Structures are given as C-alpha cells and as structure tokens.
Amino acid sequence: MQNPFKKRATEFIEDSASFVALTSPGPLKLFFEGDSTVLFDRLVTVIGTPGSGKTTLARLMDIDTLFTLFKLLDSNAENAKNLKNALVGYDIIRDGKPVFLSYRLPSSSNLRDIWELPYSETTRTNLLRSFIQAKAVLGWLRRLEKAEVNIAEIRIIVKEGCETQAHLLNVVDTLDFRHRARSVEEEILRVITSLLPPREEELSEKVSNLRFDAFEVIESFSMPEISEQADSKLLLKPLLIIDDGHELHPNQFEDLTLWLKNRDMKIARWLMTRVDAISHEDFRKALVEAENNKTTPGTTLGRDHIFKIIQCERKDRKTFRNIAKDIAKQYIQQMPSFNRKGITTLSQCLSEDSIAISKPDLQNLQNLVNQLIAEMRLPEYQIKKIRDSIPSQLPSDLVLAVYRILLNREKKRSPQADIFGITGESIEEQMLIEPTETEADDDREISKTKAGLIRGAEIQLLHEYGRPFFFTFERLADASSSNIEQFINLADALVDGLETKLLRGKTVRLDAREQHRFLTDRAIKTINDWDFPYSDATKKLIYFISEKCKARTMEANASLNDGANAFGIPQGEMDNLQSEFPMLASLLHFALAYNALTIKEYYECKNKTWCLFVLGGLPCIQYGLTLNQGGFCEGHLADLVGAIGQ
Amino acid sequence: MNRFTVNHCVTHNGEDVVDFVKGKLGFSNKVLFIGTVGMDTISLYYPYMLNGKASVDYKFLIENRPFVADSLIKIGKLHQSFLAGQLGDACVFKEIKIIADDGATTAGRSAVNAVSPWLEAKGYSDIVIDSTGMSRGTSFPIIKQAVEAGLKFGINVHLLNAADSMLIIDYKPESDDRAEWMHGFQGNMDSDRMDDALKLWVPQLSEEKVQATSTMYKKLFPVAEVCPILPFPSQNPRRGDNILFEYQDALTQEWGSSLLNIIYAHESNPLDVYRSVSTLHGIREKVFQETGETPVTILSPAGWRIGSLGMLLAAIELNLPVLYVETLGYTSHSTIPADVILPNPDLKWHIWLTGDIYKPN
C-alpha cells in the first residue's frame, strides 16, 4: 500500500493485516473506557457522524481481524501488540482467545424496503425481525467459515429453558440450522425485491415458514480451537452490529430498539446510527449525561439500553489530537518512501514557525498603529503599559496586530469611563477576559487568555495580509471536527505535498505557508464536492454564518478575542423549527451528519439561553475563522431561513 | 422468447424514429403511451408528435421530490397544462413519490404500483414507454415491468427516448447519500450466498458525481474489479478525459482500479454500452465457470441517459443487478418562460423491446 491516506476510510482496506497495521488503539479507548461489560449485555445505540469510526470499530470486532491480530503478534508487529493489549484490557480478548463473534449487518435498502411492502404493520414487523435473525445467523456462521472453522463442528449453546424452541429450529445440527436460516433469508428477500410483491393472503400461507426466532434461543457458539491443542474449545458470544440504523423507517427504528432492549436476549447487540435517527430528547440526554459521567465518557447508563457517542466533543481537543497523532503515525509508517528517509510521524514534517507578513505590509501596519496612537492622544505611561502587556517573544507583525487591538479596546473604553475612571475594562481586565475555550497547551508566559487574543490577531493578519494561519499538526487535528475520516482527508493534502518534495529531492518539510495553502485548497475542494442532500442550501447557510463571523472576527477591538465561528439564536425559536421551517430542519439533519455544522443547544450566555450553530472545521478553514469554540454572532432563526432562500 | 437480445435488437435512430412513430405507432390498433411530464421540455416531444392519434391512451407520471426549486415546479406545471390542453381526455396524470418522508428511496416501487393497473388493462396492441425526462429510478423498473407484461400478453413494447445537447432550462441535481438497488434489479445481491461472489462493478462515469459514485462503491465493498464506462466518441471529444480527471483519485487510489480497465462507449449509441457490458459479462462467466467461483456484474447508470439505456438492456437480458443513487431534488437559477418552448432534440432512439418482430421464423 503506497499511500494509505488516499483510502480515506479504513473500511476500504480489504486485507485484514493492512487494516490491523493502520488501526490505532486510540479511538478504542473513547469507546470502551470504563465498565466495558455493559456494552455486551444490553442494547447499545452507538451514535456518530459518517467517518467517526463506527464501521472501523465494527471491523475491529470481526473474528477475522482478531485472528489476523494473533498471527501478526508472531511477527512482532508493534501495532498489533498495542492493539492486542488494548483489547485484552477491554475484555474482548481473554486468555489469548477472542471472546466475541461479531457480524455487521448494514441496514441498507432491504431492511427499510420491508416497511414499503403492502402488508399490515404486524406482518412487516415479523418479516423484519425474522430477516434480521436469519441474516445474523448466516453472518456469524459465514465469519467462522472464513476463519476456516468446519461448520459441522460448531455447536450452538442454547439458553436454559429454550430447548423446545431450539428443537423446532433444529439448532442441534448446525448445517441444517444454516440451511433453514438461508431459506428464510432468500424467501423474504424474494418478497422484498420482486417488482410487485405477493398479496398478503398469499404470503400468510408461508408465514409459519418465514418465522425464525433464533435470538430467543442462542447463547453462544462453541467449536474446537483452530490452532494448537485439539481438545481445547473456543467459546464465542455472538455480537450483532446493525449499522446505519438511520436508514430504517422511524417506526422500524423504534420497534427494533424496543425488541433489542429485551434483556432475555443473550446475544450482544449494537445499533449504530447517525445522530438524526435519535430523538432530540434522547440525544440531549446522552450528551448531558456523557458530559457529567467522567468514568465512562459518552455513555448514558440504562438498565436495558445505553447510548454511546463515538465522536468526542470538539471541546475535548487534546484527546482527539492524541488520536490523530497516533493515526498519522500508523499511516506514515506504512509508506516505505517516508520510512527510508527516517520519517516516522507527520508532525515532524510540519513546521511550527510562523511566517511574518512582508516588509511593506509590516510598514503599513506600523503606520496604522502610529495613526491610531496619534488619534487617541494617550499619555506616554499608558501607551507604555499597553505595549508592555504584550508578550515579548511574539514576532514583530503579531506584536503590532495585538497592539492595535489593545489600542482599539482602550479607545472604545475611554469615553465610557465613570467619574472614578473605573470601567471594568482595564488593559489587565481586557487581557484576562474569561476565555471561551481553554487550550491546555497554550501555556507558561502567555496566559491562556492572551493566547485567544493572539490567535485573534493572527486571524486578522490572515484576512488583511494573507499571513498563514492554518498550520501545525495541532491546528490540522482541530480542523478535523473530531472526525477521523475528515482528519485523514485533510492530512492527505499535506502528505501529497510532502511526497512531491520527496520526489523532487527537496527537504521533506512543509513551511507554514505551504501547510496553509494545502489545507485551504483541500477544504474548499471538499466543500465544493459536497453532494449530500441539501448540500447547495447548506453551502449558502455556511456562507451566511461565515460572513457574519468574519465581521465579528475583524472588529478592530476583537471583542471576542479570536472571533466567532458560530451563529446563536434564542433557544425558544428552535421549538417551531420542524413545523414552520421543515426544509431547514431536513437540511440541518444532513449538515450535522456531514460535519458541516454542529448544534449546541441550551448554551447559557449573557443571562440568556441560546442555540448555537457552530461551523465545522472545513468551513472554518475555507472562510478563515477560529477553530476554537465559544464566540458566536447573535441572530434569529428567520435569518437562517432567509439565508437559504426558503 | 419474443424479446430483444444482444444479437437481435431492433432499433431506430435519428429521423427514422420520427417515421416509425408517425408511420407505425400512429396507425396501431390501440397504444398505451407511458411517459413523464416535468421540468424537462424534451419530455413533450413524443406526446406532441403523436397528438391527434385517436388510438393512443396517454398516461403520465409526475415525479415528486422533496426539494425542487420553485421555478422548476412552475415550469413542470406549465408543461402539464400544455399536454392536458393538447391531448384532452386521452391523458391521465399520476403523481408518484420518489423519496419517502424519512428520506428513503421509493421511486421504483411507487412507479411500479402506479403503472401496474395500466399494464394489466386488456386490448392494447402496443405499449410505448417514453423514458425521455424520466429518471432512471422510475424508468428502469417500469420498462422491466412492461417487458414482462409484453411477454405475458404477447404485445409489442417499445422504448422511446430523445435527448438534446442544448439545455433549455438550466438545473443542477442533488444526489441522495444512500446507494440503493434499483427496484426489481437486485437479483440475489446482499444474500448470504452472494457473500463470496467476485464483483465486477461497471459504473457509468459522469460529471460532478464523484461523491455519489463513491457512495455506491462503499456499499459494494469489497469489489474484485472496477471497469468504469466513459463516453467516447462524444460530441465534445475531451469529455471522457475531463471526467477521468475528476475521478482520478477515486479510480486509482480508492477503488484500486487502473486506466486499463476503462471501457469507452459511444455517447449517443446505447447499443455500444449494451454490447460492451454483454461481452464483458460473457467472458467473465466463461472464465469463472472453470474456477468454480461465482462472478457477478453490477451496473451503475449515472449521467448520460442514452448510455444508461444500454445498461438497462444488458440488465434485463442478463438479469444483472443495478445499483444507483437517487436524485433528491434540483436547484435552478432559470427563469420561468412565458410560454412552452417546443423541443427539437438532436438524439432520438426507438428500441423495440418485445413483440412479433422477435417471433422465431
């Protein structure tokens, strides 16, 4: 594999060994951290946007991947060891053996199609359940067959007290059981895919043959160990992963959830979905509980059902930066051309040194600052105080830009001073405004607050003089909206640039300007290529919000420090969204699903409750806005509706 | 069997189609004409040509999508009232839902349900499906349905299509984000038996559809081979190269295909696509018969419609699965014309699907 970044998603990597080599244990921690047993004894609804790693997780649980992992351990592969250790820690591998037998069932069109059949709801529900059970049994046995297990040697362990049902399904003879599952699957598939389905009366004659209640009886699969000791047994608990649950009809989704919540079921079951299939209340509850629950982040604990949010919140930058670093390392290590040059990480190829604006531009900026000082007629000591408050190690252009912001703040403050000259907006206070979002890495001499202001000055220089802003590995990771696929897509743009340098025999390193250019070009191209439903209107909406945010960011006194990247409306206006503006509601479903936007509801600010529409990483790059959250422009739902021309 | 095959497929094109429609169809005993009416002016072409023939019953499907620019809806209504005015009582309009409220594709199923009673009616000597302006998700299933009806009742089934390289109204489609099996064209795909099948995927490549095509690839993954079809020869000789440029990353990196796999097929001749697919499928069947593996050829029509007709013929004859991405809606900056502009297509095709002409001697 020459350049794995081109594959964008690990699900496009067919070979299990390559998949293992590229899979980072980092995202697993987010998912399995805490008491992982709850993920296997009740229904788990896994929520995440496309590219957040849902399918990769499902692939990792595949028995084929786990067996490959064991094989790679013999060859001393470092990543295989790390992965194995992580999986042992989460009890997915026990005593050197896999514990689960997983099968991923994509919802795709067939499950949804059952809803369209001209039958009563009961018939459709029964067809859906039988179809899922037949597919699951076939899928589990197929996975074992691929792992070279002789199907005839597999014994299905039946739940206590279910022997009669097991007998009816002929579970004792695995080959016969598979044959039965196959005939049910094919018969239902024939009904679904025929141009005109049979009438319900005709179907009812076959209904007894189409019933297949396997989940009521199956507890586990037992088989001889594949390698080594002939007498050793492998006992696997079946795990069903229903992927893309949002493609089901809402009633089907609800019914499926209700059915799979049944605690009598002994199989493990995950229902993976995009956020739009979940009711607002459930999702909000999951988010709130995820934020409050520190031991098992992203988990909403319930007796029979839990929600698991797979994508970490953008606020939690450090976690995602570490994940991104780990992924980039795995990917770079698969590129021999880089290895030969001793390159093992992406970050080592990305310069962290900023590039100052040109001398004429610097002079121009200096003139503007001088002009401002002259206009303000401040006493010398005050000017000195402002000047001295700026961290000394900043480059000269940035010093001037920060200086200009502080002078403008002072200018704005002066006329409003009360009779005692106290406004609550002194320079010290200005520099110590409560930061909207803290950066653990912006440290030491420059306080966290100052970092926001300096970033604001950097962004102003970007817009005025084209000074590169989107560079360094950290900003690359931040721009990925905590989405692994988006990170790989953006990183690919940089890796392309590095490969070109390598071919030309140049130093394999990108300076700030090159990084900024590659990332901006890629963000613009990706947005232009957006082809999801309502993408045209989404682009209009994003443009509208960006222009508003840009105006706030470019305010002379940078009142929001590093500016805005969100549009806030009073929370109450969201209540009428679905009924009054259905198109905007549909648009938001897709905009959220594809990381164009995120919505932060019930955000408290200025004694009001807001709903924020926060721009995703790609629009922030395209329109030159901060990647940090918190700053927003105020407005109304009607503004957004007007922006898309509904 | 009284239907077309790759070796015997009766077709007309250009002005011959006009002669055939006026000369043969215009004088048939009783004709069922199924077409569509919407924003595409070109869909008025054949019904207008047959206007005044008492033996024709006109049935028009109106495709309802959730997100269509207001101007296009108004243009569609203008066309509908034009046809109603021209054809009078002989025409029936039937609205069908392309996308369900929850976003699922229902185009094929809705179309088949709408057309079913028309096809079951007795007394027709000829069924004409006019796929001009009809979306693939609608036209493929009803053409297959009409072929089945033609074979069952022993009547002639004709497929008409017209295309114009100059668009009168400018619009841009927005694709859904789900890849779906075309209704009635899934075969055994997604069944356990087909899990090990060696998939050959033949997507028709067209402009600004990279994301939709990648969505299809994702659904099919893993794919043994990808052989995309590009339009060449074409009116714009560089069209194939331009499309290839758009797909370069997806083709060579994501799908692991190569330039040697590309099939070039005539932009305006559906039989070229039909023959290419048939030959490819036939060779694969022969080769894998020897190895004991199960080959399957999956077709994905997109973009240039004449080429898609070739895919349709291959899919019907060889029972090939068809995967596609439905169009969710259209955006447009076109203004609404004051009056209906009658089309003058530069491509016209007639394909005789079933009937006496295929009776063995």
Side-chain angles (χ1 to χ4, degrees):
Chain A
M1 196 188 317
Q2 290 302 306
N3 182 355
F5 286 92
K6 294 283 176 208
K7 288 279 181 189
R8 287 195 300 119
T10 44
E11 62 200 78
F12 291 146
I13 298 158
E14 197 177 344
D15 169 48
S16 294
S18 305
F19 173 78
V20 168
L22 285 175
T23 304
S24 154
L28 296 183
K29 198 176 167 199
L30 273 183
F31 188 77
F32 289 109
E33 206 173 35
D35 180 10
S36 59
T37 56
V38 296
L39 299 172
F40 300 103
D41 66 356
R42 64 200 77 180
L43 172 64
V44 183
T45 300
V46 183
I47 309 164
T49 58
S52 56
K54 296 191 298 291
T55 312
T56 305
L57 182 70
R59 174 93 186 265
L60 187 69
M61 294 299 292
D62 195 302
I63 196 86
D64 182 44
T65 312
L66 297 176
F67 284 140
T68 305
L69 187 65
F70 292 130
K71 279 182 204 154
L72 289 173
L73 285 174
D74 300 335
S75 62
N76 244 353
E78 191 199 342
N79 193 49
K81 268 188 200 165
N82 294 339
L83 258 185
K84 191 210 154 192
N85 290 340
L87 294 175
V88 167
Y90 307 132
D91 219 16
I92 291 160
I93 295 175
R94 204 183 297 149
D95 304 326
K97 293 175 189 174
V99 176
F100 298 99
L101 170 63
S102 80
Y103 170 65
R104 174 182 158 262
L105 171 63
S107 290
S108 67
S109 45
N110 284 151
L111 298 189
R112 172 60 181 78
D113 275 345
I114 292 175
W115 183 257
E116 292 300 320
L117 295 171
Y119 307 143
S120 67
E121 201 163 332
T122 317
T123 307
R124 285 180 284 166
T125 301
N126 290 338
L127 284 177
L128 179 72
R129 291 184 183 185
S130 292
F131 192 56
I132 288 175
Q133 293 178 88
K135 296 239 29 134
V137 167
L138 292 169
W140 288 321
L141 294 174
R142 168 83 50 186
R143 304 318 298 155
L144 289 173
E145 197 173 40
K146 281 194 175 165
E148 295 173 6
V149 176
N150 183 353
I151 299 292
E153 289 182 340
I154 298 170
R155 200 164 68 83
I156 295 166
I157 313 282
V158 175
K159 257 168 58 183
E160 238 182 72
C162 294
E163 289 76 13
T164 317
Q165 290 110 303
H167 180 72
L168 286 173
L169 289 169
N170 208 2
V171 171
V172 185
D173 182 343
T174 315
L175 282 171
D176 206 40
F177 184 51
R178 173 149 91 162
H179 180 72
R180 170 111 171 81
R182 190 168 274 160
S183 69
V184 170
E185 183 219 26
E186 288 178 356
E187 193 59 49
I188 297 178
L189 204 57
R190 239 191 308 278
V191 173
I192 300 169
T193 59
S194 57
L195 271 173
L196 284 167
R199 287 195 306 273
E200 191 163 5
E201 306 84 81
E202 290 171 39
L203 191 76
S204 58
E205 291 164 17
K206 301 179 189 167
V207 148
S208 57
N209 292 333
L210 294 180
R211 271 202 92 94
F212 191 74
D213 296 324
F215 291 178
E216 283 180 15
V217 298
I218 296 177
E219 184 161 315
S220 55
F221 290 78
S222 162
M223 68 217 71
E225 180 80 86
I226 293 161
S227 58
E228 296 145 32
Q229 313 98 317
D231 57 338
S232 167
K233 288 271 179 198
L234 194 60
L235 192 69
L236 299 171
K237 176 171 177 158
L239 163 65
L240 171 66
I241 303 171
I242 300 179
D243 204 357
D244 299 326
H246 54 271
E247 293 197 4
L248 295 166
H249 188 273
N251 292 19
Q252 286 181 312
F253 189 87
E254 200 179 317
D255 175 70
L256 204 61
T257 304
L258 200 69
W259 173 49
L260 295 175
K261 269 161 78 169
N262 181 357
R263 291 213 73 176
D264 287 341
M265 249 180 227
K266 293 295 171 199
I267 63 159
R269 56 267 184 216
W270 295 352
L271 180 55
M272 292 184 161
T273 176
R274 267 183 354 210
V275 61
D276 44 278
I278 307 291
S279 72
H280 264 337
E281 287 93 87
D282 280 345
F283 186 59
R284 278 177 202 152
K285 199 174 143 202
L287 272 179
V288 171
E289 292 197 19
E291 278 175 11
N292 297 338
N293 193 335
K294 301 295 177 202
T295 49
T296 51
T299 306
T300 308
L301 283 173
R303 203 176 56 82
D304 51 8
H305 185 193
I306 59 172
F307 289 94
K308 192 88 194 169
I309 300 166
I310 204 166
Q311 192 161 310
C312 51
E313 275 275 273
R314 272 174 70 187
K315 213 168 76 178
D316 183 16
R317 285 166 192 280
K318 207 170 176 186
T319 310
F320 188 74
R321 281 179 187 174
N322 289 335
I323 291 172
K325 207 165 266 181
D326 202 28
I327 291 169
K329 191 177 155 198
Q330 312 289 358
Y331 275 51
I332 288 282
Q333 282 175 356
Q334 301 304 311
M335 300 178 73
S337 52
F338 280 40
N339 286 344
R340 281 194 291 273
K341 289 271 174 189
I343 298 166
T344 53
T345 64
L346 180 58
S347 47
Q348 76 183 89
C349 303
L350 306 179
S351 168
E352 296 196 345
D353 301 330
S354 59
I355 293 179
I357 59 177
S358 67
K359 276 186 183 167
D361 286 341
L362 189 67
Q363 188 54 54
N364 176 269
L365 183 60
Q366 181 69 64
N367 293 344
L368 290 172
V369 170
N370 293 346
Q371 210 176 322
L372 192 59
I373 293 171
E375 273 172 28
M376 289 171 69
R377 293 184 204 156
L378 288 174
E380 193 60 37
Y381 79 92
Q382 209 166 343
I383 289 176
K384 189 175 179 308
K385 198 172 167 187
I386 295 173
R387 183 68 184 78
D388 288 349
S389 68
I390 302 169
S392 58
Q393 79 278 33
L394 293 182
S396 53
D397 56 346
L398 206 47
V399 167
L400 279 175
V402 173
Y403 193 22
R404 184 174 57 165
I405 291 171
L406 294 178
L407 286 169
N408 274 300
R409 286 184 177 182
E410 186 63 22
K411 186 180 170 186
K412 204 172 176 202
R413 183 183 72 90
S414 300
Q416 294 158 12
D418 64 13
I419 53 169
F420 302 105
I422 297 167
T423 62
E425 293 178 351
S426 69
I427 292 303
E428 289 79 3
E429 284 167 314
Q430 289 288 354
M431 295 294 275
L432 288 170
I433 295 167
E434 179 63 27
T436 47
E437 184 186 347
T438 56
E439 291 259 2
D441 293 343
D442 298 330
D443 48 6
R444 294 171 210 102
E445 192 181 337
I446 307 173
S447 76
K448 288 173 184 174
T449 320
K450 283 178 182 170
L453 177 60
I454 292 164
R455 254 195 326 273
E458 272 189 275
I459 296 172
Q460 290 194 349
L461 289 177
L462 162 70
H463 288 287
E464 285 174 290
Y465 301 106
R467 187 184 197 269
F469 176 75
F470 296 106
F471 64 98
T472 73
F473 188 87
E474 283 66 32
R475 282 186 185 159
L476 162 68
D478 293 352
S480 306
S481 304
S482 300
N483 184 287
I484 295 167
E485 201 171 305
Q486 190 164 309
F487 167 73
I488 293 169
N489 180 29
L490 286 172
D492 173 51
L494 300 177
V495 172
D496 266 351
L498 290 168
E499 274 193 310
T500 309
K501 290 207 162 192
L502 192 80
L503 285 171
R504 290 181 181 167
K506 294 183 177 173
T507 312
V508 190
R509 193 169 171 79
L510 297 176
D511 65 26
R513 195 177 304 284
E514 289 165 326
Q515 292 175 54
H516 180 91
R517 181 164 53 86
F518 286 134
L519 289 178
T520 312
D521 288 352
R522 178 59 62 95
I524 293 171
K525 186 181 178 308
T526 309
I527 290 175
N528 284 343
D529 289 348
W530 274 351
D531 191 22
F532 53 80
Y534 303 101
S535 52
D536 210 42
T538 304
K539 286 175 205 170
K540 284 183 195 166
L541 184 69
I542 277 167
Y543 176 75
F544 169 80
I545 296 176
S546 301
E547 285 301 302
K548 293 261 176 207
C549 292
K550 202 159 108 182
R552 281 304 301 267
T553 306
M554 295 305 288
E555 280 175 353
N557 65 338
S559 59
L560 295 174
N561 282 335
D562 57 348
N565 60 9
F567 189 82
I569 63 166
Q571 180 66 46
E573 294 185 14
M574 285 296 277
D575 297 341
N576 303 329
L577 176 69
Q578 189 67 51
S579 56
E580 285 184 28
F581 309 109
M583 185 195 145
L584 180 63
S586 307
L587 179 154
L588 288 174
H589 268 212
F590 290 101
L592 293 179
Y594 287 89
N595 284 312
L597 284 174
T598 50
I599 292 187
K600 194 166 180 65
E601 292 193 81
Y602 300 99
Y603 183 78
E604 297 292 334
C605 184
K606 297 183 187 171
N607 297 323
K608 278 188 188 170
T609 309
W610 302 86
C611 174
L612 301 188
F613 295 80
V614 187
L615 293 173
L618 294 177
C620 286
I621 297 182
Q622 179 175 14
Y623 294 102
L625 300 170
T626 179
L627 297 166
N628 292 50
Q629 287 189 42
F632 69 95
C633 310
E634 295 169 23
H636 293 278
L637 193 59
D639 300 329
L640 300 179
V641 174
I644 60 168
Q646 190 181 355
Chain B
M1 193 182 282
N2 298 343
R3 70 146 164 79
F4 68 93
T5 60
V6 72
N7 295 320
H8 187 201
C9 185
V10 179
T11 61
H12 298 93
N13 69 78
E15 289 313 300
D16 290 350
V17 179
V18 179
D19 294 343
F20 180 84
V21 171
K22 286 182 176 168
K24 164 78 174 78
L25 293 178
F27 293 99
S28 290
N29 289 341
K30 189 78 182 151
V31 178
L32 169 64
F33 180 100
I34 301 174
T36 188
V37 59
M39 66 207 181
D40 254 342
T41 318
I42 197 100
S43 59
L44 306 177
Y45 182 68
Y46 289 116
Y48 188 72
M49 190 185 286
L50 281 168
N51 184 15
K53 308 288 179 193
S55 59
V56 187
D57 282 345
Y58 299 91
K59 314 281 182 190
F60 293 101
L61 296 173
I62 299 171
E63 300 183 1
N64 268 342
R65 290 185 164 77
F67 182 34
V68 179
D70 284 347
S71 56
L72 296 177
I73 294 173
K74 283 176 184 155
I75 293 168
K77 293 222 182 296
L78 193 69
H79 290 158
Q80 188 183 341
S81 33
F82 173 80
L83 281 180
Q86 293 286 323
L87 307 173
D89 294 340
C91 72
V92 170
F93 298 97
K94 174 95 181 158
E95 296 202 7
I96 56 167
K97 215 170 187 174
I98 302 298
I99 306 284
D101 294 339
D102 64 319
T105 303
T106 51
R109 213 172 274 276
S110 310
V112 162
N113 287 336
V115 165
S116 184
W118 302 338
L119 293 177
E120 290 292 324
K122 299 275 186 308
Y124 290 114
S125 59
D126 295 80
I127 299 170
V128 177
I129 308 284
D130 176 11
S131 67
T132 316
M134 206 181 268
S135 68
R136 277 165 276 254
T138 304
S139 64
F140 275 44
I142 65 169
I143 292 167
K144 187 176 183 182
Q145 195 183 8
V147 168
E148 286 177 7
L151 293 172
K152 187 174 161 192
F153 302 120
I155 48 179
N156 295 309
V157 177
H158 308 271
L159 173 61
L160 292 177
N161 194 279
D164 198 345
S165 48
M166 297 289 287
L167 284 176
I168 297 171
I169 296 151
D170 182 34
Y171 58 84
K172 194 178 164 231
E174 274 200 357
S175 304
D176 201 349
D177 63 345
R178 306 175 183 189
E180 314 267 359
W181 295 110
M182 186 80 75
H183 183 57
F185 289 85
Q186 184 173 340
N188 294 324
M189 294 310 294
D190 286 351
S191 71
D192 182 61
R193 265 184 221 283
M194 295 301 282
D195 200 62
D196 282 334
L198 292 169
K199 295 175 203 156
L200 162 68
W201 182 40
V202 186
Q204 197 185 353
L205 301 189
S206 60
E207 296 87 350
E208 296 180 20
K209 291 276 176 205
V210 182
Q211 207 158 323
T213 319
S214 289
T215 305
M216 291 189 251
Y217 176 78
K218 194 172 167 185
K219 180 171 171 107
L220 288 178
F221 187 83
V223 180
E225 283 176 285
V226 182
C227 292
I229 300 193
L230 281 177
F232 189 82
S234 54
Q235 198 176 40
N236 168 12
R238 296 200 61 157
R239 189 178 176 202
D241 286 349
N242 292 340
I243 293 175
L244 200 54
F245 188 73
E246 264 191 67
Y247 283 82
Q248 57 177 338
D249 272 357
L251 184 72
T252 56
Q253 304 279 351
E254 204 169 283
W255 309 344
S257 185
S258 92
L259 297 180
L260 294 173
N261 284 11
I262 291 170
I263 303 166
Y264 291 96
H266 201 295
E267 182 186 48
S268 49
N269 186 348
L271 298 181
D272 200 10
V273 173
Y274 182 19
R275 288 186 195 116
S276 303
V277 172
S278 291
T279 310
L280 193 64
H281 178 74
I283 292 169
R284 263 183 121 237
E285 290 265 288
K286 231 181 233 175
V287 169
F288 288 111
Q289 209 167 30
E290 299 300 318
T291 65
E293 288 164 292
T294 315
V296 59
T297 307
I298 299 147
L299 308 178
S300 287
W304 33 301
R305 291 195 178 188
I306 296 282
S308 297
L309 293 183
M311 284 200 163
L312 168 72
L313 298 177
I316 292 177
E317 189 195 349
L318 305 167
N319 197 19
L320 303 182
V322 179
L323 187 74
Y324 84 122
V325 171
E326 187 51 79
T327 300
L328 185 81
Y330 300 93
T331 55
S332 174
H333 299 294
S334 277
T335 49
I336 307 159
D339 227 335
V340 171
I341 307 160
L342 283 172
N344 184 22
D346 46 20
L347 286 173
K348 298 176 264 281
W349 277 91
H350 161 249
I351 302 169
W352 202 318
L353 298 173
T354 71
D356 295 345
I357 200 155
Y358 295 112
K359 257 189 184 163
N361 292 326

